[in-house]
Every structure is written in structure tokens, then in C-alpha cells.
Amino acid sequence: MSHPTPEQLAAAANKCLKDLEQLPALKVKDRLAIPMQEMPSQDPQVRRHNLMEVALGYTPAQAKAEALRCLQCKNKPCVAGCPVAIDIPAFIQAIADGDYQKSVDILKQSSLLPAVCGRVCPQEEQCQKPCTVGKALKDVNQAVSVGRLERFVADWEREQGKVKLPVIKPETGKKVAIIGCGPAGITVAADVRREGHAVTIFEAFHKPGGVMVYGIPEFRLPKVIVQKEVETLEQMGCKIQTNFVVGRTRKLLDLMAKDGFDAIFVGVGAGLPKFMNIPGENLVGVFSANEYLTRANLMRAYDFARADTPIFRSNKVAVLGGGNVAMDAARMAVRLGAKEVHLVYRRSRVEMPARIEEVGHAEEEGVIFHLLENAKRIIGNEQGLVTGMECIRYELGEPDASGRRRPVELKGSEFIMDVDTVICAIGNESNPLLRQTTPGLDHNKWGNIIADASQLTSLPAVYAGGDIVLGAATVILAMGQGRIAAAAINKALAAQPAGQT
Amino acid sequence: MNTILKKTQLSDDVFQLRVHAPLIAEERKPGQFVIVQIDSNFGERIPLTIADADLREGSITLIFQTVGKTTLKLAALKEGDAIENLLGPLGRPTHIEKLGTVVCIGGGIGVAPLHPIAQGYKQAGNKVIIIMGARNQKLLILEQEMRAIADELIICTDDGSYGRKCLVTEPLKELCLQEPKPNFVVAIGPPIMMKFCAETTRPFAVPTFVSLNTIMVDGTGMCGGCRVTVGNETKFVCVDGPEFDGHQVDFDNMMKRLRSYKTLEDKARHTCNLEQAIARKENESKP
């Protein structure tokens, strides 16, 4: 399949709109006949060698054509699929009408980070899954491209310099501490600040943004977008304290006892990388995806000439896992110059948790997929360097507890894969630091903090949300929990007598 | 924030910085470390042990050897300059209790992290025997400070230029052969020294702890770059350590992992020397 150029896609959209103008009024049949607008993207052969964003964004004509595909269903099945319940038909109708400002305003009522979510949400599992258009065309991939439209208007707002600061209510004199400046923390900060409470965000890294800056690569989510969101927070009066690891620099409860915070939100993410527990895992050349991506993204190791942080120069890389992080690591390895990048996943393609778009992009960029295979051990030489990986083949057996068919080892199918680097992207568990240093903060057996329906933890005035509660999940789910926590914090603080200023 | 209050050169390539960091000074305990980064955009994050802290001044003391690009840049900072990013205190503090006789062994720059630990054991009421080792007398650091703590101080140099001409393992073995044996040993220094200290005490079954300094990126458990094999289990130095039972640590694997970026670092250092030479030339040519 040849790669359609942005120009071809734009021309097709323009022609499509011209044809539609001939029609007196759009009937359902006409809307269903509008071709789904493909996302223009960099040519795979070109983008393999750069870190610039792969998806280039719709042109206004494409956005309009795509928006016209929406049937404006009365029962809005898409809204039920959105973790933050954005009024999807309404923001799409505004795009169709050409009123981008109105569209952004609708989005921002529910989502604080549309430019991020439009790029990284697993839409095919959320809003686009129940879409009537997708159902009518019998293909979820033919649903209305809600995410691409969301991105389109969010980018328009940023590029036009139209980002409006929300109205901040008069200062209440109350202080809220937010631990972790990732998606959950940013959401809570904005919502709590709007009510007039003083907000300080504590971030362990030297830059704010959490997984959006250390994990998700530039080619999928440009850093300027995250930066812009963080700047907005600062303009709203939120204080961001980097290089501050709560639990060590300050104990969690000391933030209330010594520093006078009235409430705390914990949004520290699921930071501890899981390994496979197979022989050879501590050889030189085996990395967690966290380490590999942090070196490449946050520490800018891709800039070989300027960055002090080194990154392993690989020839043949194996990435273990089938999620978005695995795709990110594999595609980063391609860009860092690896000659072969193999992605090893023990289930089949349909079970892959990664977004369909990322899987497609990885394939276009030459990542070699090994499905129904898994690593058994990693082999090294005398210097402790990886020289290969023993794998075994699987077949799909009976469904397991998760409803997915359980992969079963095929006895005697072992083989050696010739690689010098292995990147483990099989998930994260929760970081033990906060629970070790905070007595009374209840957690489950996986180390996730336990929170009730309002995100309140076992400690008074301490709330938690995002991956530290959910286990490794998504940006949008973290945001959703952040919104709930912020509402609960605002309610609790409003019920208290006024604080001292 | 993070202003350098005092800079002292302890030997050819060892520097001591007293840095204004009141929060870290308040919370830090023996055995803990900080992550240092000189430049937010392109700088590397490296772990350095906290050698001391002054609560009144709100400062911590860092002692480091110039071994790579970042430590060279750190050594080039002057009093009044600030370290752009300083994170800590990190790692689990040393578990200090009264055990009886504790032998504290510091090799080279390892004496710096050993200092607060030896101090802690002394304050807890232990008899503290300190063994310090260095290649030669010039490379010996903190002798006066350690002497002030030690009930007994043994100095070893490789070339015999000061103290005994031997490796630190020799007096350690002598102490283990005595009755009563030491109750506890702490060894901090180059990995190879720690490995052989652990091997020395193993036959005597004297509990021996070591403090590991591995490659780290975040220092908070997020990357796993620092992982080591301890008793066949994978541990993260940053959140599970930095101190471990020396008899359980796979030092050979750790040493190999420490060399992960050796060729790249040599290259970096090479450019760095080159840059320095160019800078010197430029300075010379100025009137």
C-alpha cells in the first residue's frame, strides 16, 4: 500500500466537500457515504530517521468532511464511551459549522488536555467503539474519527494563540498539594485552582509533565504541547516545585503538619518497571522501556552530539510486550539507528493492548512483529553483553479469567533470536516509596493506593488518582480520576472554615 | 537554591562542595544520596552520596571524583554558582544500632559516604574501627574527620607512602581472626574492594554491608537502570538500597553493568578534554 501524501488527502477532502455542496441537505445515507478522512502523516521512510511528529493533523477541509460524517445521534452512544463524558456530537457539529472556538469551549468543559488526548487516547476502545457510523459500516475503524477532530480544534486553539485562562475565583486562603505533575496531577491542579485555592505541584523529575515528557516520545506527542499546558497552569497561579520527591524530600503527612497544606492529591503514576524474571535479565543491553524511553525522551539522548546522557547503540533490538509503551520503545529504537527491531508478544494481534494506529505506524516503519512468541532467557557473552535471546512459540488455548484466549507454550519450539539489546515493556507496578514512608496509607496487594468513589484514601484529606490507583492505564483515565478528586477536594474545602492567608 | 557555599579540592581529582539545600539537610540520614544534574536540557543525572550536612547553615556536603563528563563539569563550578537540579535525599537510610564492634572500611572516594555512617555507629555506642585505603597518601581524604570518630584508625596505601603498605582486606582479616570478632562490617569503595571485603569476612560469618553506586537515571525507582542481583533476586539500588548484604551481592554482574556505556563515556571524556584544551588555548590567546 502506497503512502498517501498530505497533499493527496487534502485534495480528496476538498473535492468531497465540493460534491457535498451540490446536495440540498445531507441525509444519513449521504453522511455514511463520505469517506473516512485519513490522518496525513510523514512518509514512513522519512520519519524512520527523525523524531518529529508522525501524524500531521487534519486540514480544515478534512476536519469539515470528517465532522459531516457524524450522524448527531440523539442518544449519543459515543459520550458514554468517553471517560470524561465530553459532549462529542456538539463539539463535532461546531467543527462542521466552522465555529472552532465554540468547539474548543465545549471540549474544555470536560477535558483539560484535548491536544494530548486527541493524540494518545485509545479512541477505538472508548468513544469510537459505540459510534453508530462504525456500526453501520460494520467496522470500528470506520467510526467518526473523534480523536483526530479533537486534536484538530485543540491545535487550532494553541496555534492561533487563543488559549484562554479560566476564570479563577477569589483566593480562599486554602492550600492544596499535588504530588506528581502528570496527567492526573495537572487536571486536579487546574480544577482546584479555579476554585481559588492555592496549588503547589511537587514533581520528582527536573521537568513537569510526567509520562507525557519522559515516556511518550516526541514523534507521538510533541513536548511543546505539554509545555503549553504546564505554562497555562503557571499562568493560573499554580506553583510547580520540581526536584522534589515526596516521601523523601518531605514526608507526605509533613506537607500538612509542617507546611500547612489543607488537602493532598497523590498522582505519582505507576513508576516501577516490571521485568520478566527470566535468566539473563541483568545482562548489559537489557533495559526497561522506562529507562530506554526516559534516556531518549526526557534526557534527550537521541541528540548524540549535545546530550550528556548516553544511550545504548544497538544493531538488533527485541522489544517484549504489545502495548503502547512497547510500540514507543520499538519505534524509538528504529529512530536511534537500530538495523532490525523485533517486537515479541506472546498473544495474537487482536489481543495487543496498543492503539491500532500505533501498531500500524510501527509496522510501516519496519518493526518486525513476532506474535505468539515469548522470551525464555537472555544469552550473554563474557563481558556480560547480550548476544541473543531464546524464545518459544505459543498457540492460543482456552479463554482465561480476562476473557482472552490463554497462550499455551508449544513444547520443543524454542529458537534463538539474534539480538544485542532487549527492551522490556511488559508494564509497570506502583512505586513503593510513598507507601513505605507514609504510615496508614492503605494499598492493595499490587501496591496500588486504595481510594473510594471520590478518590479519598485511607488518610483524611489525602486523595489519589491515576495509575497509582488504577495500575498502569491511560492518560484519559488518569484525567477522569483527577476530575473526580478535584471535585471532592473542592467540596471538602468549601465545607471547612476559611483558611488563614 | 542549590548554591555552592564552599568548594575545596581534596586531592588531584577529588572535590568537596558544600551546597545550600536546607530541605535535604533536614531530612537526610546516613547512607542516603542525591541526584545531581548540571543542565536541565542536556545534562546527565548522576547519583552522589551525601557526606555530611549542616542543619544550621542548611547545607549538605558532596564529595566526588572527576571520572566523567558530569563530574568534570561539576568540578568546574565556582563558589556562588548553583547546581541546576538537586534531588534528594534518596535511598533507604543506613539501619544503625548498637552492635558492639563495627569495622568501617572506606576505599578512595568511598570514605566520603562512609563518614556519616561511621559517625552514626559511634553515636549509637559502638566501638568503631576505621580502615581507610587509597592508592597513595595524596589520594587519602577526610583523615582528620575519620580520626575524630574512630576508636582505632588503620590507614593502608597501595604504594606504602603512608600507613601500612597493603590492601584494606589485610587488616580486615586480622580483625576477623581476633577474638572477639567484629560484630559488623561496613565497606564502601570501588566494587572490587567491596567484593573482596565481603569475601574476606565470609568464612568468619561476620555480617558485612556494602553501599553500591550504580548507573541511575531518575534515582526514584522508575528506570531500573541501577538494578543488581542480590541473593538471586533483582533489586533496585535507588529504592531497595543503596546498602545490601555484601555476601549476597553479585559483584561481577554489577561491575559489568557499570561498564555499560564505557566506550561512549570515554568518547565523551575525550571530547571534554578536547574542549578544555580549546578553552585553554582561547584563554591564552586573550590579552
Side-chain angles (χ1 to χ4, degrees), chain A residues 76 89 110 112-113 122 139 155 163 196 219 228 235 246 248 289 307 366 394 405 414 430 433 449 460 463 465 472 496:
Chain A
K76 305 179 180 183
S110 313
L112 194 77
L113 305 168
D139 181 359
D155 285 358
V163 176
F219 56 78
K228 187 72 211 167
Q235 284 162 4
V246 175
R248 288 280 182 231
Y394 281 74
R405 290 177 69 191
E414 288 89 348
S430 80
L433 212 149
I449 295 177
Y463 298 77
Q496 280 176 17

Side-chain angles (χ1 to χ4, degrees), chain A residues 141-154:
Chain A
N141 299 315
Q142 291 293 316
V144 175
S145 305
V146 179
R148 293 168 183 175
L149 290 169
E150 180 183 19
R151 169 190 164 153
F152 172 77
V153 271

Side-chain angles (χ1 to χ4, degrees), chain A residues 405-420:
Chain A
R405 290 177 69 191
R406 187 197 305 271
V408 186
E409 277 191 11
L410 274 171
K411 289 235 154 40
S413 68
E414 288 89 348
F415 66 100
I416 305 283
M417 191 180 274
D418 173 24
V419 291
D420 55 30

Side-chain angles (χ1 to χ4, degrees), chain B residues 24-287:
Chain B
I24 302 177
E26 190 182 329
E27 290 285 332
R28 74 97 209 190
K29 293 196 175 63
Q32 291 189 299
F33 63 93
V34 288
I35 290 272
V36 169
Q37 188 192 27
I38 305 222
D39 154 38
S40 290
N41 286 322
F42 294 103
E44 185 184 15
R45 293 166 64 97
I46 59 159
L48 290 178
T49 329
I50 305 169
D52 207 349
D54 184 335
L55 267 179
R56 236 188 28 232
E57 191 181 50
S59 70
I60 57 167
T61 300
L62 303 175
I63 296 179
F64 60 94
Q65 191 167 15
T66 51
V67 289
K69 208 168 177 177
T70 303
T71 42
L72 280 166
K73 282 184 184 170
L74 194 60
L77 294 180
K78 298 182 290 291
E79 287 175 9
D81 288 350
I83 297 174
E84 205 162 303
N85 297 304
L86 186 65
L87 172 73
L90 300 172
R92 288 169 173 250
T94 309
H95 178 72
I96 289 173
E97 58 181 324
K98 188 169 177 194
L99 298 158
T101 300
V102 176
V103 180
C104 297
I105 309 163
I109 188 84
V111 175
L114 187 68
H115 177 248
I117 295 171
Q119 217 167 26
Y121 277 112
K122 182 68 193 168
Q123 279 160 7
N126 293 286
K127 179 183 176 190
V128 174
I129 301 173
I130 297 177
I131 307 175
M132 290 169 64
R135 284 205 307 278
N136 57 52
Q137 185 179 8
K138 270 172 67 185
L139 296 175
L140 209 63
I141 58 166
L142 302 181
E143 186 192 340
Q144 291 318 314
E145 288 83 347
M146 295 307 258
R147 200 172 287 282
I149 299 164
D151 290 287
E152 192 184 328
L153 181 77
I154 303 164
I155 292 174
C156 317
T157 52
D158 292 359
D159 65 354
S161 54
Y162 191 52
R164 290 173 59 173
K165 183 184 176 179
C166 64
L167 300 173
V168 291
T169 43
E170 199 175 291
L172 175 63
K173 189 170 181 186
E174 290 161 14
L175 289 167
C176 288
L177 285 165
Q178 284 173 14
E179 277 303 331
K181 290 184 298 198
N183 300 86
F184 196 74
V185 171
V186 187
I188 309 179
I192 193 79
M193 182 207 93
M194 294 191 282
K195 177 184 170 176
F196 282 101
C197 286
E199 287 314 315
T200 305
T201 58
R202 192 191 300 274
F204 301 97
V206 176
T208 300
F209 269 65
V210 293
S211 178
L212 306 182
N213 190 344
T214 49
I215 293 172
M216 290 184 191
V217 183
D218 63 299
T220 62
M222 209 209 73
C223 80
C226 64
R227 64 196 193 280
V228 286
T229 313
V230 181
N232 290 323
E233 262 185 77
T234 293
K235 296 279 182 191
F236 287 10
V237 172
C238 64
V239 288
D240 300 319
E243 278 165 37
F244 295 100
D245 178 353
H247 294 151
Q248 302 282 324
V249 173
D250 181 345
F251 283 103
D252 294 335
N253 176 251
M254 178 197 158
M255 287 187 269
K256 283 170 187 162
R257 289 186 60 81
L258 276 171
R259 286 193 289 267
S260 297
Y261 299 101
K262 193 77 179 70
T263 28
L264 289 172
E265 268 162 22
D266 287 348
K267 251 194 204 158
R269 190 164 182 185
H270 180 71
T271 8
C272 205
N273 286 337
L274 206 69
E275 280 165 15
Q276 286 177 338
I278 292 167
R280 267 201 303 275
K281 265 248 166 82
E282 279 173 356
N283 276 334
E284 280 163 15
S285 62
K286 277 179 195 155

Side-chain angles (χ1 to χ4, degrees), chain A residues 221-272:
Chain A
L221 176 62
K223 301 287 168 280
V224 304
I225 290 167
V226 183
Q227 246 166 37
K228 187 72 211 167
E229 301 298 350
V230 171
E231 275 166 27
T232 306
L233 280 186
E234 286 178 319
Q235 284 162 4
M236 287 167 69
C238 296
K239 216 179 126 199
I240 300 174
Q241 170 93 61
T242 50
N243 298 313
F244 196 109
V245 58
V246 175
R248 288 280 182 231
T249 312
R250 208 54 153 172
K251 301 276 184 298
L252 184 83
L253 295 177
D254 281 349
L255 290 174
M256 291 199 272
K258 292 186 183 171
D259 303 327
F261 283 98
D262 299 289
I264 296 176
F265 174 78
V266 180
V268 295
L272 212 72

Side-chain angles (χ1 to χ4, degrees), chain A residues 161-190:
Chain A
K162 299 229 186 229
V163 176
K164 283 188 293 191
L165 282 190
V167 180
I168 314 267
K169 291 190 184 165
E171 299 292 334
T172 62
K174 287 173 188 142
K175 288 166 67 180
V176 178
I178 290 164
I179 324 298
C181 194
I186 289 175
T187 305
V188 178

